[in-house]
Amino acid sequence: MKFTPSKLNSYLFIKLPSAYWSGVRVSSINTQQCVVNVKHKWFNQNPFKSMYFAVQAMAAELSTGALVMLHVQNSGKRISMLVANNNGTYTKKATGKILFTCNEGDKVKEAIERAIETSEGQKFWMKSIGVDEQGDQVSEMNFEWTIKVK
C-alpha cells in the first residue's frame, strides 16, 4: 500500500472504525513526520464539552503508528509492531480542530535497522503533540512501540 493520507483514512474506516467515526483523519505523512487531525464534535466530546481524552489518544497514536507502518513497509521485512505502554498530559480543553504531530521518523528507522541487524526486538518511545487552531498545546502523548522481525 502506498502511504497517502487518503489510503490511510480508508484503512481507518476498515480496520479502526471507532477512530474513523470519531473524526480522526491523517492530514499528511512522510518518512519524518505524520500529522493527524480531529475536530471536536458532539459525537466525540466528554461531559465538559471538550474532546474526550480517548479520541485524542487515538489521533496521537495514529500519528506515531502510521510512521512505524511506513518504515516497516519501506524496510521490505516482515516486522510486527505493538504499543507496549503509553502516557499523556492534557494541558488545555481540546475544542475546535486539533492537530497531532509526530516528528520522530528517524527514531523508527533506526530501531528497525537495529532490529534487522540484531534479530532482536526493539522498544522505543514516540511523542505526539496536539495543538488547537490558535497554536496552543492541548495535549502531549507518548507511546512505547515494540517491533520484532518475524
Side-chain angles (χ1 to χ4, degrees), residues 39-59:
K39 189 172 182 180
H40 171 240
K41 297 179 184 176
W42 171 84
F43 188 75
N44 64 20
Q45 75 179 357
N46 60 31
F48 311 107
K49 300 200 187 317
S50 62
M51 192 178 299
Y52 185 53
F53 82 94
V55 175
Q56 293 183 62
M58 285 190 287

Side-chain angles (χ1 to χ4, degrees), residues 4-56:
T4 64
S6 175
K7 296 241 180 179
L8 285 167
N9 292 329
S10 295
Y11 175 85
L12 276 181
F13 180 75
I14 301 298
K15 297 292 187 180
L16 296 165
S18 60
Y20 184 85
W21 292 114
S22 294
V24 174
R25 299 292 187 276
V26 176
S27 299
S28 65
I29 187 167
N30 59 47
T31 57
Q32 182 57 34
Q33 179 187 72
C34 182
V35 180
V36 173
N37 73 74
V38 61
K39 189 172 182 180
H40 171 240
K41 297 179 184 176
W42 171 84
F43 188 75
N44 64 20
Q45 75 179 357
N46 60 31
F48 311 107
K49 300 200 187 317
S50 62
M51 192 178 299
Y52 185 53
F53 82 94
V55 175
Q56 293 183 62

Side-chain angles (χ1 to χ4, degrees), residues 24-127:
V24 174
R25 299 292 187 276
V26 176
S27 299
S28 65
I29 187 167
N30 59 47
T31 57
Q32 182 57 34
Q33 179 187 72
C34 182
V35 180
V36 173
N37 73 74
V38 61
K39 189 172 182 180
H40 171 240
K41 297 179 184 176
W42 171 84
F43 188 75
N44 64 20
Q45 75 179 357
N46 60 31
F48 311 107
K49 300 200 187 317
S50 62
M51 192 178 299
Y52 185 53
F53 82 94
V55 175
Q56 293 183 62
M58 285 190 287
E61 180 189 2
L62 181 59
S63 72
T64 64
L67 279 174
V68 177
M69 291 168 60
L70 173 62
H71 283 281
V72 165
Q73 182 181 31
N74 288 348
S75 76
K77 303 287 185 181
R78 291 186 58 223
I79 298 174
S80 63
M81 55 185 274
L82 184 67
V83 172
N85 202 347
N86 72 300
N87 62 57
T89 304
Y90 305 90
T91 51
K92 183 181 174 188
K93 282 180 114 173
T95 58
K97 186 176 181 180
I98 309 298
L99 296 178
F100 288 89
T101 304
C102 179
N103 293 309
E104 298 185 325
D106 290 340
K107 191 181 282 190
V108 180
K109 185 178 179 188
E110 291 168 11
I112 289 174
E113 288 170 356
R114 276 194 312 275
I116 293 169
E117 288 172 14
T118 66
S119 297
E120 295 177 1
Q122 301 292 315
K123 291 183 177 184
F124 54 97
W125 284 90
M126 297 180 74
K127 176 172 50 178

Side-chain angles (χ1 to χ4, degrees), residues 135-147:
D136 297 331
Q137 183 174 321
V138 299
S139 59
E140 177 179 315
M141 310 279 187
N142 299 287
F143 298 91
E144 182 183 33
W145 284 96
T146 61
I147 58 170

